[in-house]
Amino acid sequence: MPSKTIAKKAKKVAKKRAPKAIKYVYSFGKKTDGDAKMKNLLGGKGANLAEMARIGLPVPGGFTITTDVCVEYFANGRVYPAALKSQIADAIKICEKESGKKLGDEKNPLLFSVRSGSRESMPGMMDTILNLGLNDKTVEGLKAKSGNGRFAYDCYRRFVQMYGDVVMGVQARTENEPCPFEHALEVLKKEVGVEVDSDLTEGNNKEVIKRFQALIKDRTGGAFPQDVYEQLDGSVGAVFNSWENDRAILYRQKYGIPAAWGTAVNVQLMVFGNLGDTSATGVAFTRDPANGENVFYGEYLINAQGEDVVAGVRTPFPIAQLADDMPKSHKELTVVRKKLETHFGDVQDFEFTIEDGVLYILQTRNGKRTGLAAVRIAVEMTKQKLMTQKVAVMKVPADQISSLLVPIFDTKAIKNATLMAVGLPAGPGAASGKIVFNAVDAEAEVAKGNSVVLCREETSPEDLRGMIASDGILTSRGGVSSHAALVARQMGKVCICGASDIHIDYGAGTITAGKTVLKVGDFISIDGTTGKIFAGSVATAPSEVAQVLAGKLKAEKSYTYQMFDQIMKWSDKFRTLGVRTNADSPEQSKIAVAMGAEGIGLCRTEHMFFEGDRITYMREMILAPDEASRKSALKKLLPFQRKDFNGLFKAMEGRPVTIRFLDPPLHEFLPHDDASRRTLAEHLNVSPEVISERVHALHEENPMLGHRGCRLGISYPEITEMQARAVFEAAAQVLKLKKKVKVNPEIMIPLVGFKDELDHQVAIVHRVAKEVQAAKGVKIDYLVGTMLEVPRACVTSSEIAKTAQFFSFGTNDLTQTTLGMSRDDAGSFLGKYKDLDILPQNPFATLDQEGVGALVKLGVDGGKATNPNIKLGICGEHGGDPASIKFCHNVGLTYVSCSPNRIPVARLAAAQAAIEAGA
Ligand code: ADP
Ligand code: MG
Ligand code: MG
């Protein structure tokens, strides 16, 4: 080995052995240590400042003190690591060399900004200090150097205020008290007759500074420090301390940012937008963050500094105007705009300052945007080759795709409307219509050609017809997973629930909110996206995407649709999870297929028993005293069911259709008020007492755990038989149609906990299938499976899989039975649970992965152990929730099923899950 190489190796080994001093300080500017990938250590702002310096953007130099220092600082009782001081001193030397100025120099002072910056941006939550390095002497140096006394004292005034506030804690002492510095400034401005800060003279500023310093003395007993190193020390400490201020803590809680991350501190050479009319400061977006349009977007203020633009003291100008005001800088900014997007591969939200005609970039980050903008930006940036398709799919928050589908209130109309109250936004979109209180009135009004909003304290399956007829549903009770919300989402209805500030008086026929009283028949408007309830009618506009999907608008005519369609196509390319829909009618199914459904994952047959005369036959069946009369009533129901399934099979054109047999407790179908009991008694030719007795007999203390699900089919096998017959006869009809249509029914037995329960029901299904196939001379491809919705089924899934050809996780009931929590009653305590972080997510909206999810996993593993090819789906509300969909992908389900309007969300979320898992 040549000796040179040996020496090198020895050096390497020595380096490894010697404890390397931890690097706490990273420079950026002409010498740059960090880059964009180091967000964890340098914070978002620091990492991107380094990156921008690297790619040659005009970033004022400086250094970043790492998040590690913050973590150590708090761990050691707010004491800095010993090695920090000398590393900062070295970094300052570099700044001094690069700028030719010196910190604390009375002739040519160097000024710093001290800025916070955590891994994820927490806008406005932590503190910033500008113009550090000024004192009674250096301010004169700045004045001499710039030849501008107003400017020098403007900077000093700002610094004393920020330092006094952030470091020395001189702040408003009560909520009603104004900021004492702002107050003192206002007083002086009045005295001298000045409106805007930038019009204060050097003398005015001097006077304000004197008052500020007196205020600090008065409040703290201490003096504003003249020593610039003490200023720096205090400011760095204050920025670290701001990580633990109330605002920051609250923000972290809301957005799930761990306290353990800490913040970095950026110390940066000041540049001055307040140097006169050739200087300015501003913020800009590389594209419009509201609608995504590829236009330069932003605003600026001339002769201003720091937060002036956002603070709203003066109204800033739109960025386009800069082309006239400062054409050279505007041109440079357009170049920066392009460079930022190209380099970061996403829309950037950036800050700039122009100092006497010279442009500086102070910050950049990925811009926050609306759902519409997210889609447009992803599609257009991919077309421009600034993003890959995978990145584009990842860039649209799955939930937000639905904002392209909902009808919206006309923005002008909303401005003139009367806001009554705000409830829980449960079904996004806008609906306006006449107030109705029940299903009968809803249908009657709609028959007359009116649109209605069904307003109820809460809804039950009995209201279904009314819900179908209505444009919107409003309830004063119940949460976002209440019956009303669930059905509304499935039907794509606008819905607000739990609007506790409105009072619905069925008797008086009124809805009251504060001073506003509306009567049945009056107009009401509800915005299910925001939860806002308006008195009167507010004009709406349907979404273009919905119009195209319904065939009412040509795709070529709608750019919004084309963007939507593009994101969906890319999603389908990357996802492996299937997406089905929960639908009960041909109309719903057709919409679902247009949205991209690959089958029906849950058809709730009980909803089919409420329409028209059916409920009467259903009641006749339930009230039947013996098997013979029950069979005769079921015979009347058979043609209805057969017709329904026939319609579904035709609409789904060979896609799998999962049909769940009768599930809810029977008493849900019974008449609960006197009038309808009398009508039924007349129809059945019995006395009303008989009806009342039977209703009474069917009463259950806890119907959710009572006589329902497969327990019904086991008690009354003739119900299962009728439903099976309806399915197979409908299948036979469709198979015999001239126009060839395939049929793929998947019969699903609910609430199974024991294999023997399933065996009992499956035997009936197979027998009927055989009979019908023989009688009709057709062969029907069908499956029989079960829902896994009680823990016992998950635990014994390997046994159950011996009979079941598929599993579908009914995670609504599985959540109820695993947590021992009733979905309809949990609203009264889940709020508190959320506040206390006991259950940060509503488990009925987002799957409880550790608990319920573990049972799902158990169910999957058991099922696959017995039958490696078993089909696995989910049909609870969770099937439309992005976080839960990700779980479903990772646990290896075959498909998720959700309401038609959630299908685009599910397709996108499934693609994102696959990409994240490394597809
Ligand atoms: P935030 O994270 O709250 O946006 P910043 O650290 O970005 O806080 O600082 C707020 C503002 O202060 C910036 O928008 C910028 O206008 C101004 N500022 C920060 N550093 C400098 C600097 N080195 N020179 C001039 N202005 C600065
Ligand atoms: Mg900023
Ligand atoms: Mg269930």
Side-chain angles (χ1 to χ4, degrees), residues 45 115-116 123-124 128 283 307 310 349-351 362-365:
K45 199 181 286 165
R115 321 170 65 187
S116 63
T128 302
V283 290
E307 310 282 26
V310 260
D349 159 4
F350 68 99
E351 298 176 349
L362 293 177
Q363 183 177 338
T364 192
R365 60 181 169 222

Side-chain angles (χ1 to χ4, degrees), residues 660 663 708 750-751 787 789 810 812-813:
R660 178 180 71 185
D663 181 53
R708 54 168 292 216
L751 214 75
M787 288 184 79
E789 53 183 336
N812 295 345
D813 274 326

Side-chain angles (χ1 to χ4, degrees), residues 649-650 652-654 731-743 778:
F649 293 151
K650 282 195 286 208
M652 293 307 290
E653 298 178 316
Q733 285 175 344
V734 173
L735 285 171
K736 285 184 169 177
L737 288 175
K738 272 215 190 80
K739 185 176 161 259
K740 277 254 174 294
V741 180
K742 279 195 191 160
V743 183
V778 288

Side-chain angles (χ1 to χ4, degrees), residues 11-29:
K11 224 176 172 182
K12 240 188 189 166
V13 173
K15 227 181 181 178
K16 233 183 194 169
R17 280 201 203 117
K20 219 172 98 191
I22 300 174
K23 189 170 168 60
Y24 289 120
V25 176
Y26 286 71
S27 289
F28 57 85

Side-chain angles (χ1 to χ4, degrees), residues 119 189-190 255 316 347 635 709 814:
R119 276 194 217 181
K189 272 158 77 180
K190 275 220 184 87
Y255 292 95
V347 165
K635 226 181 188 156
L814 189 59

Side-chain angles (χ1 to χ4, degrees), residues 62-85:
F63 55 91
T64 304
I65 305 170
T66 66
T67 54
D68 282 353
V69 176
C70 183
V71 174
E72 280 193 44
Y73 173 76
F74 283 113
N76 298 333
R78 308 205 179 203
V79 174
Y80 298 124
L84 182 64
K85 203 170 172 184

Side-chain angles (χ1 to χ4, degrees), residues 134-147:
L134 285 176
N135 57 28
D136 295 349
K137 299 226 169 82
T138 55
V139 68
E140 282 296 318
L142 184 66
K143 175 182 164 184
K145 199 83 193 145
S146 63

